[in-house]
Amino acid sequence: MSEKRLKRKKLHKKLFTKNRLVILNEDTFEEIFSFKLNLMNVFVIATLGAVFLISITTFIIAFTPLREFIPGYSSTKLKKDAAELALKSDSLTLALKKNEAYIQSIQKVLNGQLDYAKFNKDSILAEIKDTATHIKLSPSEEELELRKEVANEEEKALETTAKKSTKKTK
């Protein structure tokens, strides 16, 4: 245990021993600048400097157009253009479907497969609209049983609270 204590004392002494940093003019040996430092101060200043440089670099990359040069990041203009093109392609697909349905209906009329009286642009467009799939919304037997159980529990709870309130009033 004393060895550990001695090592700690030596380390503490090395870290906190004052040293002098002097900058001299080599020709005249004139002292230009001097500091009194210890190893701990140097370590703390170096660590803070590294953290500062890392944070400044991260800030510059994150909030400037430099991030576009990092693989995986795309430019904001590219994202905006992609969204616009997706909307345009959806609308063009819908317009194409409408035109194809209209042309097919005209071909049926020209071939005599459809009566002219039934030919109406609005009815053709109504046919191509995607109808929602019918979903069975009626409850299953298990759900009905669960609903009955919950209703019975609620009735019992109401009865017990009513009994408690009548006992308190008497």
Side-chain angles (χ1 to χ4, degrees):
M1 191 143 154
S2 63
E3 290 178 21
K4 288 184 180 179
R5 187 178 293 167
L6 287 175
K7 287 182 182 180
R8 285 185 193 162
K9 284 185 179 182
K10 285 182 182 179
L11 180 64
H12 186 271
K13 189 175 182 180
K14 285 181 183 179
L15 286 176
F16 292 101
T17 301
K18 294 278 186 181
N19 296 312
R20 190 168 186 187
L21 174 69
V22 179
I23 299 176
L24 298 172
N25 185 350
E26 193 163 316
D27 295 332
T28 63
F29 294 108
E30 179 185 354
E31 185 177 314
I32 296 173
F33 203 67
S34 70
F35 273 120
K36 279 191 176 180
L37 299 171
N38 57 29
L39 200 55
M40 184 59 112
N41 288 348
V42 173
F43 177 71
V44 169
I45 289 172
T47 304
L48 289 175
V51 168
F52 180 74
L53 282 175
I54 290 170
S55 61
I56 290 296
T57 305
T58 304
F59 182 79
I60 288 172
I61 290 173
F63 298 108
T64 61
L66 284 176
R67 69 173 170 253
E68 295 173 11
F69 295 108
I70 297 173
Y73 281 100
S74 58
S75 67
T76 54
K77 183 179 182 291
L78 181 65
K79 288 180 183 178
K80 183 180 174 184
D81 290 343
E84 287 178 10
L85 289 175
L87 289 174
K88 284 181 182 180
S89 67
D90 287 343
S91 62
L92 287 175
T93 304
L94 182 62
L96 182 65
K97 284 182 183 178
K98 286 181 181 181
N99 286 341
E100 286 177 356
Y102 186 69
I103 290 171
Q104 287 176 356
S105 297
I106 290 176
Q107 286 176 350
K108 285 181 183 178
V109 169
L110 292 175
N111 292 334
Q113 297 173 353
L114 187 68
D115 295 335
Y116 182 75
K118 293 182 181 177
F119 183 69
N120 186 357
K121 185 176 181 179
D122 293 331
S123 65
I124 294 169
L125 294 178
E127 287 179 8
I128 66 163
K129 286 187 180 176
D130 295 332
T131 58
T133 57
H134 295 287
I135 301 171
K136 182 182 174 187
L137 296 177
S138 60
S140 64
E141 291 182 24
E142 294 172 350
E143 189 175 350
L144 291 173
E145 290 176 15
L146 180 65
R147 287 180 185 181
K148 287 179 184 177
E149 289 178 19
V150 171
N152 288 337
E153 290 177 6
E154 287 179 355
E155 287 177 12
K156 289 179 184 177
L158 287 174
E159 288 176 6
T160 56
T161 54
K163 287 180 183 178
K164 287 181 184 177
S165 64
T166 55
K167 287 182 181 177
K168 289 182 182 177
T169 56
K170 290 184 180 178

